[in-house]
Amino acid sequence: MKRLKKVLFIVFIMSALVSQITLSTFAQAKEIDVLRVGLSNLVKDLDPNKGIGIASIKVFYNIYDTLLWTDKDGEIVNRIGESWEWLDDETLEVKIREGVTFHNGEELNADDVVFTFDRIVNGYGDGTIRVLYETLDSVEKVDDQTVRFHLNRPDSAFEQRLGSIWGASIVPKDYVEEVGDEAFQTAPIGSGPYKMVEYSPEKYVLERFEDFWGEKPVAKKIEFISVPEASARMTGLITGELDIINDIPTDQVESMKSQEGIQVLGTPIQNIHIYAFNTKKEDSIMSNQKFRQALTMAIDRQSLVDSLWSENAKNINGHQFESYGDLYIQDYPGVKYDPEAAKKLVEESGYDGKEVIKITMKDGYYSHGNEAGQAIVSMWNAIGVQAEVEYADEFSFSDTDIRAWSSASRFDSPLGALWLLFGPGSGPANEETGSWVPTEEFIKAGNTLIDSKDIEEQKKAAKILMEVFDTYVPGTYLYQAEDIYGIRDGLEWDLHYTQNQITPFRAEDLKVAE
């Protein structure tokens, strides 16, 4: 940290003149020739049907389109799907907007929509999107501009699923079949406002798609550049080499705010940092419910927020988001910090102090994830539990004690987060490689949320989901985080959609300041 501050101090002094030169760059033009975005992570795979994570989602929104969309007021609106109508409780008919073309000039039609959803229903990819469409049975082509979604049961949230950015981005059938799934991952084609013209692990270059069906965005070209080191991202922003950066460390926010020509903006994200516990590891104390309860009660979440995030994260009351509206349970207590009760539970569990509990994570993948892990190890040591953090590039739910993870809300319902991540079909619930077996009570509550249209029944079910999660403990939550961006003056960037962890650069999102 001392080295980082020293580097920044030197850069701050040397960059003063550079800042003065670049301050008015955007203000002098109505359009942006090249927007340079420095990101802490770039993914290797840009096939939106194969899987979606917090790194890939930042890029997908600019390349692809979905049929429906959730607007900034939380309403489901049309996108590629011009209109939609329920023919019965299990059949939704969608009319496709005419004149939509893919980046290779081919017209988007019903064949592409059916192809996209066939991939998902048939289990293509890592399963993250298949779970989102758990109630979808098939998609039928009616004519070139019409499709019908056939559900396997009535689903009160199906329009929300279609309108999720984490949902099904439509891909071109002919092109994917021509080049193959593997080639498509690094040479993607969508129907969004930007097309990819250059791919490398270090940089993606997108150009504005002039035949885009909607309003043209302000930037002619976007360069997404991989800059893993926070100090390098901040230096690039200060010197004008980068226009927007993400993941500014919280202890550098005030220093960055003091730089002329730079704005620092934080936005709450629909994401909770969590740990998934391996309850199926029979030869480990992790299979003991009282021991897992002790681990959750020994975590001082408010201390983590205060020391690592300051005001840029929130200590939450349960695995839920306030954006759930009527389904948000204000008076749910959540897991309380109680180290004395935790010590008692450790004793009752029979833990002998010899087994070392390992928290496995990717080094630096989550903001402050490394530091949180080390702090939690100390908290567990204080109740007599030996623990350590181990870093790995690849790992599963079944090959470790605890997996550092995150719970992104795919849409505003418990079905879009807690149920989706821990319900049947999810990674933790996988019969062979998972870390827990969902209880009957958990499954019943999730099914009620799908089936019922009665808000009181849904609210009771939402509470049961959280109670089972906090009692049986297949995992635990740490806090709801914020993304902190640095932006050069001259840009007006609406950060609303960044709550979904995307970097949105469509016409309604980014403008040149007047």
Side-chain angles (χ1 to χ4, degrees):
M1 189 60 67
K2 289 182 178 179
R3 178 180 175 274
L4 173 60
K5 290 181 178 179
K6 182 177 180 181
V7 169
L8 286 175
F9 177 77
I10 295 171
V11 171
F12 291 165
I13 299 299
M14 296 180 64
S15 64
L17 292 176
V18 177
S19 296
Q20 292 299 318
I21 294 171
T22 57
L23 273 175
S24 60
T25 301
F26 297 120
Q28 293 173 350
K30 294 182 179 180
E31 293 185 320
I32 302 169
D33 288 330
V34 182
L35 182 73
R36 297 176 177 87
V37 183
L39 298 179
S40 55
N41 287 287
L42 285 185
V43 295
K44 299 177 182 178
D45 182 356
L46 292 170
D47 183 342
N49 301 156
K50 187 168 183 288
I52 296 181
I54 62 172
S56 59
I57 197 72
K58 294 187 181 304
V59 180
F60 282 174
Y61 177 69
N62 302 289
I63 299 175
Y64 299 101
D65 267 325
T66 53
L67 286 173
L68 306 184
W69 180 245
T70 304
D71 70 9
K72 295 176 182 180
D73 296 320
E75 301 295 325
I76 304 299
V77 298
N78 59 339
R79 187 146 273 181
I80 296 176
E82 190 169 40
S83 63
W84 63 97
E85 176 186 6
W86 286 98
L87 303 183
D88 57 49
D89 287 346
E90 297 178 4
T91 310
L92 178 67
E93 184 171 279
V94 179
K95 297 287 185 181
I96 300 168
R97 185 186 300 274
E98 293 188 3
V100 177
T101 59
F102 289 109
H103 300 152
N104 62 355
E106 293 183 0
E107 185 174 357
L108 187 156
N109 60 33
D111 290 327
D112 304 298
V113 175
V114 172
F115 174 78
T116 295
F117 283 94
D118 277 351
R119 292 174 104 202
I120 295 168
V121 170
N122 291 327
Y124 175 73
D126 64 9
T128 54
I129 304 177
R130 179 67 190 99
V131 177
L132 179 63
Y133 289 104
E134 60 183 317
T135 58
L136 177 61
D137 183 66
S138 63
V139 182
E140 169 197 4
K141 175 182 177 181
V142 178
D143 56 45
D144 283 347
Q145 302 304 128
T146 310
V147 294
R148 285 180 186 163
F149 290 85
H150 298 283
L151 309 187
N152 53 42
R153 62 195 286 191
D155 179 3
S156 62
F158 191 71
E159 290 181 22
Q160 289 176 284
R161 300 179 196 271
L162 280 182
S164 169
I165 182 57
W166 297 83
S169 295
I170 307 303
V171 301
K173 175 181 183 292
D174 291 345
Y175 175 75
V176 175
E177 291 181 334
E178 177 186 347
V179 303
D181 292 334
E182 186 174 352
F184 184 69
Q185 293 169 18
T186 56
I189 283 180
S191 62
Y194 287 96
K195 61 182 180 180
M196 176 165 283
V197 295
E198 182 182 328
Y199 171 94
S200 75
E202 294 76 32
K203 183 169 71 172
Y204 305 154
V205 180
L206 309 186
E207 281 187 359
R208 188 169 64 189
F209 181 43
E210 298 301 331
D211 291 327
F212 176 56
W213 61 268
E215 185 180 354
K216 287 183 174 55
V218 70
K220 296 178 183 178
K221 182 182 289 187
I222 303 174
E223 293 182 356
F224 287 103
I225 304 167
S226 175
V227 190
E229 291 293 329
S231 57
R233 288 195 304 278
M234 291 185 286
T235 299
L237 183 66
I238 294 166
T239 61
E241 296 174 65
L242 298 171
D243 305 311
I244 294 175
I245 63 171
N246 75 328
D247 288 353
I248 294 178
T250 54
D251 64 348
Q252 296 301 319
V253 167
E254 293 305 316
S255 295
M256 291 298 288
K257 283 182 177 179
S258 70
Q259 295 306 298
E260 189 173 2
I262 290 175
Q263 307 169 61
V264 177
L265 302 175
T267 175
I269 55 176
Q270 298 295 85
N271 190 299
I272 299 170
H273 289 195
I274 67 173
Y275 285 167
F277 292 170
N278 192 349
T279 71
K280 294 168 67 175
K281 198 170 183 180
E282 295 181 359
D283 60 345
S284 168
I285 191 64
M286 289 301 299
S287 64
N288 185 287
Q289 183 176 344
K290 287 187 175 181
F291 182 78
R292 298 194 304 272
Q293 289 174 342
L295 296 184
T296 67
M297 296 173 68
I299 299 174
D300 187 347
R301 293 164 179 80
Q302 190 60 54
S303 173
L304 293 176
V305 168
D306 293 342
S307 62
L308 300 178
W309 292 89
S310 186
E311 73 275 11
N312 299 300
K314 183 170 67 172
N315 185 6
I316 55 175
N317 61 323
H319 195 300
Q320 60 177 339
F321 296 89
E322 292 184 18
S323 59
Y324 289 173
D326 290 338
L327 293 182
Y328 177 72
I329 304 174
Q330 182 71 44
D331 60 354
Y332 185 76
V335 177
K336 298 300 183 183
Y337 173 56
D338 191 338
E340 293 306 314
K343 287 179 183 178
K344 184 177 180 181
L345 285 169
V346 169
E347 182 179 347
E348 292 175 358
S349 74
Y351 176 69
D352 60 9
K354 295 180 181 179
E355 184 178 349
V356 179
I357 306 304
K358 295 183 178 181
I359 307 172
T360 307
M361 64 180 69
K362 289 186 178 181
D363 188 10
Y365 186 77
Y366 295 111
S367 295
H368 300 300
N370 293 18
E371 296 90 339
Q374 297 296 344
I376 290 170
V377 164
S378 296
M379 295 172 190
W380 289 346
N381 288 343
I383 63 166
V385 174
Q386 289 196 67
E388 64 183 32
V389 174
E390 66 173 8
Y391 300 105
D393 292 329
E394 299 293 337
F395 47 92
S396 68
F397 293 99
S398 61
D399 65 4
T400 185
D401 299 320
I402 299 171
R403 170 178 176 159
W405 207 25
S406 69
S407 175
S409 183
R410 269 58 168 178
F411 54 92
D412 285 333
S413 162
L415 291 170
L418 181 52
W419 172 256
L420 188 145
L421 259 71
F422 285 90
S426 67
N430 185 282
E431 186 174 334
E432 296 181 357
T433 62
S435 55
W436 93 301
V437 178
T439 67
E440 290 184 9
E441 191 176 18
F442 192 85
I443 293 172
K444 182 179 179 181
N447 284 330
T448 297
L449 282 162
I450 294 172
D451 298 335
S452 177
K453 295 183 180 179
D454 182 273
I455 192 64
E456 290 305 316
E457 285 184 352
Q458 289 185 326
K459 196 166 185 176
K460 289 178 182 178
K463 184 177 181 181
I464 290 172
L465 278 186
M466 289 194 290
E467 288 175 339
V468 173
F469 185 78
D470 291 340
T471 304
Y472 189 79
V473 199
T476 193
Y477 39 84
L478 305 183
Y479 38 68
Q480 183 179 355
E482 284 195 3
D483 273 351
I484 306 175
Y485 290 91
I487 306 167
R488 294 202 60 76
D489 278 352
L491 295 175
E492 292 181 358
W493 193 28
D494 186 341
L495 293 184
H496 178 85
Y497 285 139
T498 62
Q499 67 180 336
N500 296 311
Q501 296 174 272
I502 62 178
T503 49
F505 297 122
R506 295 183 181 232
E508 65 270 26
D509 304 315
L510 181 70
K511 302 183 186 303
V512 175
E514 296 182 359

